[in-house]
Amino acid sequence: MRLLKLVEWKLKGFYPYVPFLGNSLETQQELMGMTDWLPAEVPGCVQNDLWKAGWIDDPYKDMNSLKCEWVENRWWMYRTRFSISVAADERILLIFKGIDYKAHFYFNGHFLATHEGMFEPVELAIGSDLCQKDNELTVLFEHAPDEMGQIGYTSETHTQKSRFNYKWDFSTRLVPIGLWDDVYVKVIKSAYWGEVQLTTSYVEQTGNIRWHGALKGQASASIHPSEEWSAIAEVVHNGESLGKWKAFLQQSGSFEIDMDVPNISLWYPNGLGEQPLYQVKVGLYHDGELIDEWMGKTGFRYLEWIPNEEAPADAFPYSVFVNSSPMYIKGMNLTPLDMMYGAVTNERYEDIVLKLKKANVNLVRVWGGGIIEKDIFYELCDEHGILIWQEFIQSSSGIDNIPSQKPGFMKMLERAAYSAITRKRNHISLACWSGGNELRDEHGIPSTVKDKNIALLQSMVQQLDPHRYFLPTSASGPNEFLSLDHPGKNYDVHGPWKYAGPVEQYRLYNGSDSLLHSEFGVDGLASYASILRFLNKAELKVQTMQENDVWRHHGEWWCTKDREDEMFGDINDLQEFVVASQWTQAEGLRYALEANRRRKYRNSGSIVWQFNEPYPNVSCTSVIDYYHQPKMAYYWVRKAFANQHLSLKYDQLIIDPNTPFYPELYFHNSLEEGELNWTIECISPQGEMFHIQQGSHSICSNSSTKLETLNWNVSTMSEGIVIVRLSGFFIGESYKSNDFYNLESNTYLFSTKQNHYFSDWLRAPSADLSWSHVRKSGHDAIEVYEVVNTGPIPALYIVAAYMDGGTEKILFSEQNYSVLFAGERLQFEVERHSWGNDAVDPSSIYFKTIHSAGR
């Protein structure tokens, strides 16, 4: 049993069908490719290799992607050579984990097979008679198929290829071709492990792991009675073997092993506990000789979906119940990480999952317009406690949204779904399957299992992964989009994706009766440093998408200029524009999340659209940009998702001095019961404290509690900006009598102005800050600084920054966008290294308030 990963590849381009002919009929000469052989990176895609070779310009900069669209219309040949010893009784198995999209395979000049489809691995067995000392493997890709982008007819979908690449609101058109996942050569004998199913259960402290494995290969079809086929399984936890179990081949040609494991530790979603994983190793033995081995990891947890409190009888169960307790969903929607998803590294996946974890996210929806992600993503979610809502690759198209029922498509969908289910079902993080994104019938009603496309997927989940929940589509209706005009029908809803304004945003979310809000968002600009990376200097000025072709190319749906002009006055400085746009996005998203959380568990959770973006946009609904730079919204979402959090309910951001103002104070608790002490402070931008209020309450576990209706004398407030900060500490039942937990403060801005409400803040003087390096954290890449507000005015909002080649960049710190009043201090844990960037010298790190951008 030997395994070789093939990483040394070359690439050559052709006009369509030319490689099939080979030599010209007229001249008898070999027909040359349109390129010579170029270095190729596998996994990856043709576009990435052409970019590195200088054939195309950076497709992420300006409008260069338009100049790359010819690539998808050519044929491309990958070639590699390798040496591997093969005995007479052995064969080699070629394993292609990701083919994109239609390919022909050749080995040492022999045609092997043709395959079409992205989401199922290709395995090709080759006898020793075809193997040589030096072997040549060739994969010829046809041009990419024509498929629907975001706008089109879902009923006409005919491929199982990721659709977002054909143009979506957060991406351009860039359609990859190539080997998008790993390629291996495996030396096998008469049989090897095929499909594996791993399930766990527990009673009190004893866990059970049930492992089912089927054989593949020549021997799997005809086992002689005299042969002994056995499997030996071992469970390892924290480096310690917990036992070994042996089983013999069943008549069905498979093995089933039950392993009881004592004194187990339960796996919990992020924020609710730890994520202990147990490694399972199973060896396949033929007459006592080890001929193959399977390895995987699992955990012990009980998860089911239960009805919401006070839910209508016909509603799906939308609440997650984990290990005997309900879990409020703090979710994000994930798009593919890159247009060229094959080139995404493991390090980049890790950065994304860690940012999800640090944002207090406990569930991520892998959206149906994208891809079935690589194995590394699911492994990282297992490790860090991120539950996965996995959609099959189907999505709405605007003109019609009816799931395709074309016979050819249905066969491809079945194959892709079979592969996805059997490969991903063993992950403890997998929480549910969904038929796809925003699928509807001919009347515009969200699809149900009455649709034969959805019925097929449901039956496959029931057969292949019977313990997992299945939803027909998201949103599952009856209303697809959140509507206050149709109350009582907002079960699982989507939208809106725009900030509705300083009054309407709050009316909408205060009035929502959604059971689950599985997609909604607010748009905001990327960081200024990120914009510098993909726009040329001529475009670095405040624009609208209507005025500027390049800006429109990078986010045409998400222009916020009119919104920010209303909120902040006419903005002509790009750095000010970024700050204003990101603040409004953060404010809008935070309020939506807090409003939904105030209705826990009548509302079972929020899943924000969207966490990331696969293409650099000037503006988008993502909370981190393409370069993984968190926007202000990321940090405010992180606070809104915290296990313990104070929030304020209000009707609008604009305070009328002649109208009573009665905001309501809430406490959100995901943990144990205890005693809460809270403080509200109202202060002017000049540092004048004109209201302070305190209180204490007993708090139930896993609850959302209204604490107080506040009666503020608005006439005493300052003219212009009003700063309101919520803070407190919590003493839990399990804490020692003298210990308490300080809550992260939560700060709101209101305005008494009747227009350009927040212009005074945006253009206010910067606060005076000083800082000192306290220590290096236990993590080598984290530095701890103490920041002090040394001046008289509040510091809104503080970030850690450094200069990189003349460009100011913000470093990641969970304390970013904190607020310090005069004389206050706070320790910032700053990550001086991030994906795609070198480590920053600690002495070059400084702290600033964001509204001082450009000054």
Side-chain angles (χ1 to χ4, degrees):
M1 181 183 62
R2 299 182 299 281
L3 190 68
L4 175 66
K5 185 177 179 179
L6 301 181
V7 295
E8 299 291 333
W9 292 82
K10 291 190 175 181
L11 175 74
K12 191 173 186 178
F14 296 87
Y15 286 96
Y17 299 100
V18 167
F20 281 174
L21 182 59
N23 291 348
S24 167
L25 294 175
E26 292 81 5
T27 68
Q28 304 305 308
Q29 293 178 336
E30 179 183 359
L31 294 169
M32 293 187 293
M34 58 173 295
T35 74
D36 203 347
W37 288 105
L38 307 171
E41 184 178 288
V42 174
C45 68
V46 169
Q47 286 89 339
N48 192 47
D49 297 325
L50 294 178
W51 178 15
K52 290 184 175 181
W55 268 79
I56 60 175
D57 293 330
D58 180 353
Y60 299 104
K61 188 162 179 75
D62 294 330
M63 299 175 72
N64 288 346
S65 70
L66 298 178
K67 304 173 186 177
C68 304
E69 292 186 14
W70 63 270
V71 177
E72 67 189 72
N73 297 306
R74 303 293 187 268
W75 286 32
W76 299 93
M77 182 179 290
Y78 282 80
R79 186 181 72 190
T80 189
R81 293 187 172 94
F82 65 92
S83 299
I84 195 166
S85 58
V86 183
D89 63 340
E90 294 178 327
R91 295 179 296 155
I92 65 170
L93 186 68
L94 301 174
I95 304 170
F96 301 86
K97 293 181 68 176
I99 295 296
D100 191 8
Y101 177 73
K102 184 176 181 180
H104 309 274
F105 302 88
Y106 302 85
F107 183 74
N108 290 335
H110 296 269
F111 170 73
L112 299 178
T114 297
H115 173 82
E116 180 178 356
M118 265 187 66
F119 302 114
E120 49 192 311
V122 177
E123 294 185 354
L124 302 172
I126 299 170
S128 58
D129 56 318
L130 288 182
C131 296
Q132 302 171 4
K133 182 178 180 181
D134 294 310
N135 300 286
E136 181 179 270
L137 174 62
T138 302
V139 186
L140 174 63
F141 285 91
E142 296 189 14
H143 56 273
D146 188 22
E147 189 48 280
M148 299 290 165
Q150 186 172 17
I151 308 301
Y153 301 84
T154 300
S155 60
E156 294 299 314
T157 303
H158 61 96
T159 70
Q160 273 289 278
K161 182 164 173 58
S162 58
R163 283 185 45 202
F164 81 101
N165 296 100
Y166 290 86
K167 180 67 181 84
W168 223 266
D169 60 82
F170 51 78
S171 63
T172 186
R173 181 183 177 110
L174 196 159
V175 185
I177 301 173
L179 296 165
W180 77 277
D181 209 339
D182 293 325
V183 181
Y184 293 94
V185 175
K186 183 176 183 178
V187 177
I188 58 173
K189 290 203 171 183
S190 54
Y192 58 97
W193 286 129
E195 293 166 10
V196 167
Q197 186 164 17
L198 192 65
T199 57
T200 61
S201 60
Y202 67 93
V203 177
E204 296 181 345
Q205 291 300 110
T206 299
N208 175 265
I209 301 175
R210 174 165 291 181
W211 186 91
H212 180 92
L215 292 184
K216 293 182 78 172
Q218 293 174 323
S220 63
S222 57
I223 301 294
H224 194 276
S226 65
E227 297 177 288
E228 181 183 286
W229 290 86
S230 62
I232 298 179
E234 181 181 20
V235 177
V236 177
H237 180 55
N238 291 334
E240 178 186 354
S241 177
L242 303 183
K244 292 185 178 182
W245 293 260
K246 187 173 183 178
F248 295 95
L249 184 69
Q250 300 176 339
Q251 288 186 347
S252 61
S254 62
F255 294 85
E256 190 155 294
I257 307 174
D258 273 301
M259 296 164 273
D260 289 330
V261 182
N263 301 317
I264 61 164
S265 298
L266 296 183
W267 185 98
Y268 283 90
N270 181 35
L272 299 181
E274 301 300 317
Q275 294 81 41
L277 295 176
Y278 293 75
Q279 185 182 60
V280 180
K281 299 189 291 185
V282 185
L284 174 63
Y285 291 83
H286 180 214
D287 292 337
E289 179 189 2
L290 177 66
I291 64 171
D292 199 10
E293 189 172 54
W294 180 91
M295 287 191 293
K297 291 183 179 180
T298 190
F300 296 96
R301 58 110 172 106
Y302 174 77
L303 186 150
E304 67 172 326
W305 294 75
I306 61 175
N308 291 38
E309 294 179 3
E310 305 174 14
D314 62 339
F316 287 112
Y318 294 120
S319 286
V320 176
F321 191 80
V322 182
N323 299 339
S324 303
S325 297
M327 180 199 87
Y328 189 77
I329 295 172
K330 303 170 186 176
M332 283 286 180
N333 283 277
L334 189 83
T335 71
L337 275 59
D338 204 292
M339 299 294 292
M340 298 188 286
Y341 36 77
V344 176
T345 63
N346 289 355
E347 291 75 18
R348 190 169 175 189
Y349 274 112
E350 183 176 28
D351 187 69
I352 284 288
V353 173
L354 286 176
K355 281 189 167 65
L356 286 166
K357 183 176 184 177
K358 292 168 186 175
N360 298 312
V361 170
N362 57 25
L363 181 144
V364 64
R365 173 176 169 241
V366 181
W367 169 73
I371 61 175
I372 305 293
E373 287 289 354
K374 294 181 181 180
D375 291 340
I376 182 65
F377 173 74
Y378 302 86
E379 293 166 3
L380 287 166
C381 287
D382 291 343
E383 181 181 345
H384 294 290
I386 311 297
L387 291 172
I388 296 174
W389 168 324
Q390 179 65 61
E391 296 197 334
F392 294 106
I393 305 305
Q394 301 194 105
S395 182
S396 60
S397 303
I399 300 175
D400 92 36
N401 307 287
I402 303 168
S404 176
Q405 297 184 8
K406 293 176 176 291
F409 175 82
M410 292 289 282
K411 290 179 181 178
M412 297 186 70
L413 177 66
E414 183 175 10
R415 294 203 322 263
Y418 186 93
S419 176
I421 296 169
T422 55
R423 288 188 297 126
K424 307 304 183 187
R425 64 188 175 187
N426 296 328
H427 289 281
I428 196 68
S429 56
L430 182 61
C432 70
W433 297 95
S434 168
N437 174 64
E438 295 179 358
L439 303 173
R440 288 170 255 170
D441 65 17
E442 64 273 18
H443 304 295
I445 305 300
S447 297
T448 69
V449 294
K450 293 180 180 179
D451 185 292
K452 69 178 184 180
N453 174 306
I454 304 300
L456 168 69
L457 295 172
Q458 182 193 48
S459 67
M460 294 183 71
V461 171
Q462 290 174 342
Q463 175 189 356
L464 299 171
D465 196 15
H467 303 293
R468 290 286 177 3
Y469 186 44
F470 176 80
L471 276 167
T473 186
S474 177
S476 53
N479 289 345
E480 180 170 19
F481 303 114
L482 176 62
S483 172
L484 301 190
D485 296 332
H486 298 88
K489 299 296 183 181
N490 296 298
Y491 296 1
D492 166 27
V493 291
H494 284 189
W497 296 267
K498 285 281 197 178
Y499 181 71
V503 176
E504 186 60 26
Q505 180 80 0
Y506 309 92
R507 186 187 78 87
L508 176 68
Y509 286 98
N510 288 339
S512 171
D513 62 350
S514 67
L515 300 182
L516 172 65
H517 210 161
S518 60
E519 184 182 319
F520 64 97
V522 178
D523 48 347
L525 266 66
S527 73
Y528 182 71
S530 293
I531 291 173
L532 293 180
R533 296 179 68 169
F534 63 87
L535 293 186
N536 67 70
K537 290 183 179 180
E539 312 304 336
L540 297 176
K541 54 188 176 182
V542 177
Q543 306 276 346
T544 68
M545 304 303 179
Q546 292 76 18
E547 294 169 334
N548 187 282
D549 295 338
V550 180
W551 278 47
R552 185 160 62 246
H553 191 71
H554 291 266
E556 63 178 293
W557 289 24
W558 309 114
C559 187
T560 71
K561 179 64 164 61
D562 291 344
R563 181 186 81 185
E564 267 52 83
D565 283 349
E566 177 191 359
M567 297 283 282
F568 296 92
D570 189 31
I571 297 177
N572 296 304
D573 180 87
L574 182 54
Q575 290 178 268
E576 277 193 354
F577 190 18
V578 167
V579 170
S581 180
Q582 288 199 4
W583 184 90
T584 308
Q585 181 190 25
E587 162 65 24
L589 268 182
R590 172 182 63 179
Y591 196 84
L593 296 178
E594 291 176 345
N596 285 342
R597 199 171 175 185
R598 284 190 276 270
R599 297 185 294 111
K600 172 186 179 177
Y601 281 96
R602 285 168 294 156
N603 169 272
S604 59
S606 302
I607 311 178
V608 174
W609 184 268
Q610 65 209 82
F611 185 65
N612 62 309
E613 60 183 11
Y615 182 73
N617 290 289
V618 173
S619 181
C620 183
T621 49
S622 64
V623 300
I624 69 171
D625 64 33
Y626 172 76
Y627 302 102
H628 295 205
Q629 176 67 49
K631 302 178 185 179
M632 188 176 185
Y634 171 91
Y635 294 96
W636 284 24
V637 167
R638 175 190 162 275
K639 283 191 178 184
F641 278 164
N643 275 333
Q644 294 178 316
H645 176 69
L646 286 160
S647 77
L648 206 61
K649 179 181 179 182
Y650 44 93
D651 296 325
Q652 58 188 49
L653 282 183
I654 313 309
I655 298 174
D656 184 348
N658 301 311
T659 304
F661 190 53
Y662 301 112
E664 297 173 354
L665 180 67
Y666 281 76
F667 183 64
H668 312 288
N669 182 30
S670 298
L671 302 177
E672 62 184 343
E673 63 184 7
E675 295 296 319
L676 170 71
N677 292 271
W678 53 265
T679 300
I680 298 177
E681 299 161 284
C682 301
I683 192 171
S684 74
Q686 293 74 38
E688 175 192 2
M689 184 75 68
F690 48 80
H691 181 81
I692 187 167
Q693 188 172 349
Q694 296 177 317
S696 61
H697 284 79
S698 295
I699 302 297
C700 296
S701 63
N702 203 357
S703 62
S704 182
T705 306
K706 180 181 175 181
L707 304 177
E708 196 93 15
T709 298
L710 309 168
N711 184 359
W712 290 351
N713 185 354
V714 178
S715 63
T716 66
M717 295 184 178
S718 62
E719 183 178 350
I721 302 299
V722 177
I723 304 167
V724 178
R725 187 173 69 176
L726 315 180
S727 59
F729 62 88
F730 184 83
I731 305 173
E733 287 297 309
S734 66
Y735 284 73
K736 297 178 182 178
S737 58
N738 294 326
D739 290 344
F740 59 88
Y741 171 69
N742 274 315
L743 305 177
E744 286 191 83
S745 62
N746 194 16
T747 304
Y748 299 83
L749 293 192
F750 297 93
S751 176
T752 61
K753 297 178 66 176
Q754 297 307 302
N755 56 58
H756 302 165
Y757 317 113
F758 298 100
S759 59
D760 293 347
W761 163 65
L762 185 64
R763 299 171 180 91
S766 303
D768 295 324
L769 301 175
S770 67
W771 54 90
S772 58
H773 185 262
V774 176
R775 67 183 186 278
K776 183 183 288 291
S777 173
H779 192 292
D780 288 341
I782 295 178
E783 306 288 339
V784 181
Y785 298 80
E786 184 169 79
V787 181
V788 183
N789 182 355
T790 57
I793 65 174
L796 303 169
Y797 301 86
I798 304 169
V799 294
Y802 75 106
M803 295 300 294
D804 181 15
T807 299
E808 182 177 77
K809 294 184 177 179
I810 296 175
L811 287 162
F812 185 89
S813 170
E814 293 186 18
Q815 292 75 40
N816 274 349
Y817 298 93
S818 293
V819 174
L820 291 179
F821 291 172
E824 293 181 337
R825 62 189 63 226
L826 181 68
Q827 288 194 355
F828 280 67
E829 293 187 352
V830 180
E831 296 186 12
R832 61 187 185 88
H833 183 270
S834 61
W835 168 80
N837 294 290
D838 295 329
V840 177
D841 182 350
S843 65
S844 68
I845 296 173
Y846 58 92
F847 296 83
K848 54 168 287 186
T849 54
I850 59 167
H851 71 286
S852 58
R855 296 199 294 273

